[in-house]
Amino acid sequence: TYYTTGKEKENGDSVTCLVDIGSDIAVLFESAVEVGPSTRSSKSKKRKGREKQSVVEAVPAKKEYWLGRIEFMIQKNGSHWVRRRKAIDLLDRPVPAVGQSGSVCRLQCNWYKSTGTNKTLFTYDATDGQWIDVEMVISNVNLTMKSGIVDRVYVLDATDLQALTTYIQSVSRL
């Protein structure tokens, strides 16, 4: 969802994308790649005591998105982390000051678990909180509760599903 603010685009419109506590968001994760070393023999003459060389092949990390709900936000203030109460603009994210490293803002999210085969149906798990850096957030998403179902199943908006699928395909090529 986009809201207007004082930021100007090329055509004169002002646009921003705000997330706050309770917002549903999509987060980019790269799965850890576990690659065992393969071995190969040296082509030169083998000398006494020479061992095989270890070779690690490069395998691209699998990129995927998870859907979560922001439960808590903190921001770095000097060397301390303080609770953040203002919304974050995803189009104008907080950045580290000169000389600082790492994230300036972190979000605690509880995750939605996919219940459908096509990643459109989700259930909410309020017990699985995890801190993430705001840089990992792709965008906010629209989830609506499916009526008539006891288990509180949420449906991902078709436009958001298409946008997330396109985004994952584009970053997977990098």
Side-chain angles (χ1 to χ4, degrees), residues 73-77 80-84:
M73 299 188 306
I74 57 175
Q75 182 168 359
K76 196 160 199 170
N77 185 3
H80 302 285
W81 289 94
V82 294
R83 186 173 183 177
R84 182 179 172 105

